[in-house]
Amino acid sequence: METREDDSMLIKLESACSDLKNLLQTSISMDSNLEKMGKSFDSFQETLTTGSRRVAHLHSLSIETKALDTRINRAVSPALSLLDSFKLSESLQRKLLDLTSKLSDEKAANKRLKRLKKYVDCVDKLNVAINSISQECEPAIQKLQEVVEFLSRTKATDQYRTLRLRETLVTLKALYETEVDAMKFDGLLDEALMKLQDEFEVLLLQLRHQNLGVAQGSGETAEVPAAASAELGSEMEIEVLRQISETLANNDCLDIVIEIYVKVRYKRAAKALMRLNPDYLRTYTHEEIDEMEWENLETAISLWIHHFELAVKTVLVSEKSLSGQVLGGTMDGLIWQECFVKIADKIMAVFFRFGEGVARSSKEPQKLFKLLDMFYSLEKMKGEFSEVFGGEAGADICLRFRELEKLLVNAACKVFWEFGLQIEGNQDGLPPPADGGIPKLVRYATNYLKYLATDTYSVAMAKVLRTEQIWKAGILSKPESDENLLKNAITSVMEAIQRNVEDKRLRYKDKVLPHILATNTYWYIYMRTRNSELGKLLGEQYMKKRYKIMAEESAYLYQKQAWGSLVGLLDKEEIKKANKEAIGAMVKGKLEAFLNGFNEVAQRHKSSYSIPDGGLRGQIREATVNLVVPAYSEFLSSYGYVLQVKPYLSPEAMEGLLGQIYGGGERVRDGKVVVRRRGSRDQIEETQSGSVERSREMRQFRWPKSKTSDA
């Protein structure tokens, strides 16, 4: 067993030894091959080194070629783009010439607007193309300059090609320096911009204000419809105007756009208002206004109020809308309001200076109502005015509006307070009425205040008084109600009227006339104000206490002074004390004295005394009859037996005479009562005297040295 194992091991060892020998033999062979390969690699390395040295120059040329290609491409690309822009510019110029020809031939308005819109679009495109040329030309020249310099420096190409590039560069520079500027400022684009300026002006002139009313030859204006502001122009017209304005502004013509727009639109707005025939606006200084007849000034102020409102609410609102639509897109909307204000300022200045002239003119009483009309119209328009002229651009116009309001407030207050002072100072320049009638000053002042207290003027007057109070006392002062302000102001004038009347009473020499004057005047004031806005404002108790009771007291004093002494002649106490023989003579003497005194008093009533109010005259007649006739009748009854020899007036005849004295009742002829039939003249005088008096009272009184008629 051991021998077999040893043999097997020996065989394995022999086999391994044989394998090792083979392996060693193979390694020797491989080593020999590697040595040969090493020699081959050395030879290849030498070959590669030689080839590399030979290729290095070509590599350098390749790099230089790539750099040259890059530079050429950088120069050619802008040049190609520039050529495309030139081609587009030429194409657009041909198209613009064609549109110019068609536009000149087109007569239909709508079609012409469409062609004009295309014309503007073409001008915009041409402007873009020329600007593109202007912007691209300089970079193209710069890039080409770099290429020429590079080729000249590197000798990368032959001299012929370099020379051609240099000539091209010189030509392009000359084109840039001459042709591009000519295209922008002297070429077809400039002509197109000039044409657009003309078209812009023509289109603006075509937009007219409609339906403003036409003045009549008599100086009065026809009724103007109070319509809201109308849009000026169609959508197409507005769009074309907007495009033209933006195109001109984008081509450095903004100043021209503003000049054309303001000039044309002011002309159109002014012409629209001139159709109203506002010739009164030519008179605007306070000296000139003082020279005007009152009727003319009154008409002018009424027209001013109407035209001022029309100008703001219709004409200028339309102009503001148009300015925003046409110029709103120019300069990011910064100029359109200024353009509108330039237009409006010229128009409003004319209205403002007339209003200021009226406010600064003489402070005659009749002007108060027109001043209040002006003030109230401005107050109503204040919100709309601020809306139209709001913003920084319209600040000066709004300031002048407020200044005019201040002038009107000051003027109205001054007129009112001076009116009271003139009344109290008895500045009507006239003596008291010779017949004890109602002074014209009282008639004027009463109707003046009555008119002022109406709804038409009381609100405006109260606001004027409130504004004056705030100016004097400060905005933090405790305000009175409008009603109290107006009531206190009117009360002060009413008291001035009363003091004026009392002053006139003292100027009579006749003892009866002062009482007739007071009776007539106070009764007139009470009756004229009763059941009116003035009476309601002052209060019924105030009017009764101040005027009705005063009239009644004055009437009593009149009766006592005029008839009391006469009735006293019929006193019987003295007769009762006389003896029987003397009674007859005494009775006849008293009766003769009474009748003579009666005739004298009657004559003075007919020639020197006047009681114009029919109702008051009737009451006084009744009171006088009740005073005189019973005393006369009783005297005749008591002593008729003594008077049988000679006939005397009967009590009925006496009553008839009293009726004649006071303008009514029966006539007495030859001691007998004659029935008097009232004729048409009497009826007309009595029924119409009140209405005629009321309609003319405000025109009967004139202030001294006044160049205008009374209100």
Side-chain angles (χ1 to χ4, degrees):
M1 288 294 291
E2 291 179 0
T3 301
R4 289 180 181 178
E5 292 178 356
D6 291 339
D7 292 339
S8 175
M9 183 61 72
L10 185 59
I11 294 169
K12 290 180 180 178
L13 287 172
E14 290 177 352
S15 176
C17 181
S18 177
D19 291 338
L20 287 172
K21 288 179 179 179
N22 292 333
L23 183 60
L24 288 173
Q25 189 65 37
T26 303
S27 296
I28 292 170
S29 177
M30 186 177 291
D31 183 60
S32 176
N33 291 333
L34 287 172
E35 185 177 355
K36 291 178 180 179
M37 287 179 66
K39 293 177 179 179
S40 297
F41 274 119
D42 290 339
S43 176
F44 185 67
Q45 181 67 34
E46 290 177 3
T47 303
L48 286 176
T49 300
T50 303
S52 175
R53 289 172 182 170
R54 293 176 179 176
V55 172
H57 179 66
L58 295 175
H59 180 66
S60 177
L61 291 175
S62 174
I63 292 174
E64 290 178 2
T65 302
K66 287 182 179 179
L68 181 61
D69 182 65
T70 301
R71 288 180 179 274
I72 291 173
N73 287 337
R74 287 171 60 188
V76 169
S77 295
L80 291 174
S81 176
L82 182 61
L83 288 174
D84 291 339
S85 296
F86 271 112
K87 291 178 182 178
L88 178 60
S89 174
E90 291 178 0
S91 173
L92 290 171
Q93 289 185 54
R94 289 193 297 269
K95 183 178 179 181
L96 195 61
L97 289 171
D98 181 57
L99 286 172
T100 302
S101 176
K102 292 180 179 178
L103 189 61
S104 300
D105 296 336
E106 187 60 65
K107 302 300 181 184
N110 289 335
K111 291 183 179 180
R112 196 174 191 283
L113 282 173
K114 292 178 181 179
R115 290 193 185 278
L116 184 56
K117 190 174 187 304
K118 292 180 180 179
Y119 186 87
V120 177
D121 291 336
C122 188
V123 172
D124 288 335
K125 292 176 182 178
L126 179 59
N127 182 46
V128 171
I130 292 176
N131 286 335
S132 178
I133 291 172
S134 178
Q135 294 170 3
E136 293 172 358
C137 201
E138 188 172 358
I141 292 173
Q142 184 178 356
K143 299 299 182 183
L144 196 57
Q145 178 77 36
E146 292 174 359
V147 171
V148 172
E149 290 177 356
F150 176 77
L151 292 176
S152 299
R153 186 177 64 252
T154 61
K155 310 291 185 182
T157 186
D158 57 75
Q159 293 182 355
Y160 175 72
R161 289 187 173 87
T162 303
L163 181 60
R164 287 185 60 189
L165 281 174
R166 195 181 300 278
E167 290 174 350
T168 302
L169 176 62
V170 172
T171 303
L172 192 57
K173 281 184 177 180
L175 182 66
Y176 176 68
E177 292 173 357
T178 58
E179 294 296 328
V180 173
D181 285 345
M183 291 173 66
K184 290 181 67 175
F185 304 113
D186 297 322
L188 189 59
L189 177 61
D190 186 64
E191 294 178 4
L193 293 175
M194 294 290 291
K195 182 172 181 58
L196 285 182
Q197 293 172 23
D198 295 337
E199 294 290 344
F200 188 63
E201 183 171 354
V202 169
L203 268 180
L204 287 173
L205 280 170
Q206 290 176 356
L207 306 183
R208 294 180 172 86
H209 295 274
Q210 305 294 333
N211 301 324
L212 290 185
V214 180
Q216 303 299 314
S218 62
E220 299 181 357
T221 57
E223 185 68 23
V224 179
S229 61
E231 292 294 331
L232 296 171
S234 63
E235 291 184 8
M236 177 63 75
E237 288 174 321
I238 299 299
E239 178 63 22
V240 172
L241 284 169
R242 183 189 63 78
Q243 285 187 327
I244 293 177
S245 66
E246 292 178 0
T247 297
L248 292 173
N250 293 335
N251 285 274
D252 298 326
C253 297
L254 180 59
D255 291 343
I256 297 175
V257 170
I258 295 173
E259 181 183 356
I260 292 174
Y261 188 87
V262 172
K263 177 187 72 174
V264 174
R265 290 319 306 166
Y266 167 72
K267 181 179 179 180
R268 275 289 165 235
K271 276 195 172 182
L273 293 171
M274 286 302 293
R275 293 204 301 270
L276 301 174
N277 195 23
D279 292 337
Y280 62 91
L281 293 176
R282 300 179 189 275
T283 304
Y284 55 87
T285 65
H286 63 88
E287 295 89 355
E288 292 174 326
I289 289 174
D290 285 339
E291 295 294 329
M292 292 178 67
E293 292 293 333
W294 168 242
E295 289 79 4
N296 296 335
L297 179 58
E298 190 176 24
T299 301
I301 293 174
S302 298
L303 289 173
W304 180 89
I305 293 170
H306 179 63
H307 293 168
F308 188 95
E309 183 176 357
L310 191 66
V312 173
K313 291 185 177 181
T314 303
V315 175
L316 294 181
V317 167
S318 298
E319 289 296 338
K320 183 177 183 180
S321 175
L322 181 65
S323 297
Q325 291 173 323
V326 174
L327 303 176
T330 305
M331 294 287 291
D332 297 326
L334 297 177
I335 66 165
W336 73 270
Q337 287 188 331
E338 293 184 4
C339 290
F340 163 66
V341 169
K342 285 181 180 179
I343 296 167
D345 186 57
K346 295 180 181 180
I347 294 173
M348 296 309 300
V350 178
F351 285 102
F352 282 140
R353 71 184 186 183
F354 177 83
E356 291 162 358
V358 172
R360 291 190 175 103
S361 63
S362 60
K363 305 301 183 286
E364 295 179 333
Q366 66 269 20
K367 286 184 181 177
L368 176 62
F369 301 104
K370 302 314 292 183
L371 290 170
L372 292 177
D373 285 339
M374 294 170 72
F375 172 77
Y376 190 60
S377 70
L378 295 185
E379 278 293 297
K380 289 193 300 181
M381 290 177 56
K382 187 179 289 185
E384 292 172 279
F385 195 91
S386 298
E387 184 177 347
V388 174
F389 298 104
E392 185 177 353
D396 290 341
I397 295 180
C398 289
L399 177 62
R400 197 162 180 187
F401 180 88
R402 290 192 293 272
E403 289 298 323
L404 177 57
E405 273 200 312
K406 289 180 182 179
L407 286 174
L408 291 172
V409 168
N410 284 326
C413 289
K414 192 171 183 180
V415 168
F416 181 78
W417 296 123
E418 284 189 1
F419 178 60
L421 293 174
Q422 289 170 344
I423 292 173
E424 189 165 358
N426 198 30
Q427 292 188 18
D428 55 352
L430 299 173
D435 59 358
I438 303 163
K440 290 183 178 180
L441 174 61
V442 173
R443 292 179 183 272
Y444 180 88
T446 302
N447 288 282
Y448 188 92
L449 295 178
K450 184 179 177 182
Y451 196 39
L452 184 62
T454 59
D455 293 338
T456 306
Y457 292 104
S458 59
V459 175
M461 190 65 210
K463 187 150 192 172
V464 165
L465 293 170
R466 174 176 296 283
T467 304
E468 182 195 39
Q469 183 190 52
I470 292 174
W471 288 348
K472 289 181 177 179
I475 196 170
L476 298 179
S477 60
K478 185 177 180 181
E480 292 186 66
S481 66
D482 288 352
E483 183 176 351
N484 285 339
L485 276 173
L486 185 61
K487 180 179 179 180
N488 293 338
I490 290 180
T491 298
S492 68
V493 179
M494 293 291 288
E495 291 172 353
I497 295 173
Q498 190 168 358
R499 287 190 289 271
N500 182 281
V501 172
E502 294 302 317
D503 177 74
K504 280 182 167 57
R505 292 180 69 176
L506 300 176
R507 294 162 64 182
Y508 282 114
K509 294 181 180 180
D510 188 296
K511 294 182 179 180
V512 177
L513 279 174
H515 308 307
I516 294 178
L517 172 72
T519 302
N520 282 330
T521 303
Y522 292 138
W523 185 257
Y524 173 83
I525 294 173
Y526 175 73
M527 294 302 293
R528 289 291 289 158
T529 57
R530 188 180 62 171
N531 299 326
S532 68
E533 288 88 347
L534 178 59
K536 293 175 183 177
L537 178 67
L538 298 177
E540 181 65 21
Q541 292 302 318
Y542 174 88
M543 296 305 299
K544 282 184 176 180
K545 181 179 178 181
R546 282 277 183 174
Y547 301 104
K548 185 180 180 182
I549 292 176
M550 289 288 292
E552 291 171 347
E553 290 177 354
S554 299
Y556 171 76
L557 293 174
Y558 150 76
Q559 189 182 66
K560 181 178 179 182
Q561 188 69 44
W563 300 102
S565 58
L566 189 63
V567 173
L569 294 174
L570 301 179
D571 183 60
K572 295 184 291 185
E573 294 298 326
E574 186 178 354
I575 298 176
K576 291 179 181 178
K577 296 177 182 179
N579 54 39
K580 293 183 179 180
E581 291 79 9
I583 288 177
M586 187 175 294
V587 168
K588 291 179 181 178
K590 281 182 172 290
L591 189 57
E592 289 292 337
F594 172 82
L595 292 175
N596 290 334
F598 183 89
N599 289 333
E600 183 180 346
V601 171
Q603 188 61 36
R604 287 204 302 270
H605 273 77
K606 292 179 180 180
S607 62
S608 304
Y609 302 156
S610 172
I611 303 175
D613 185 275
L616 176 63
R617 195 167 57 246
Q619 294 181 51
I620 291 177
R621 180 179 66 241
E622 183 179 354
T624 304
V625 167
N626 292 336
L627 174 67
V628 175
V629 173
Y632 180 73
S633 177
E634 184 180 354
F635 189 85
L636 291 180
S637 299
S638 300
Y639 304 105
Y641 64 92
V642 179
L643 304 172
Q644 291 178 357
V645 178
K646 183 179 179 180
Y648 290 92
L649 289 174
S650 66
E652 292 80 8
M654 177 64 66
E655 184 174 351
L657 286 173
L658 289 172
Q660 291 182 33
I661 291 173
Y662 291 104
E666 299 84 0
R667 289 181 178 271
V668 177
R669 186 178 299 162
D670 299 330
K672 298 180 180 179
V673 177
V674 179
V675 178
R676 179 189 180 194
R677 299 183 61 83
R678 297 180 62 186
S680 58
R681 179 178 178 181
D682 301 314
Q683 295 173 1
I684 292 174
E685 288 179 351
E686 183 170 334
T687 57
Q688 294 187 351
S689 61
S691 60
V692 172
E693 178 186 341
R694 287 191 295 272
S695 65
R696 294 185 178 178
E697 276 169 353
M698 294 295 285
R699 295 186 178 274
Q700 287 175 344
F701 181 75
R702 290 180 181 269
W703 292 95
K705 299 181 182 179
S706 173
K707 295 176 182 176
T708 60
S709 65
D710 48 346

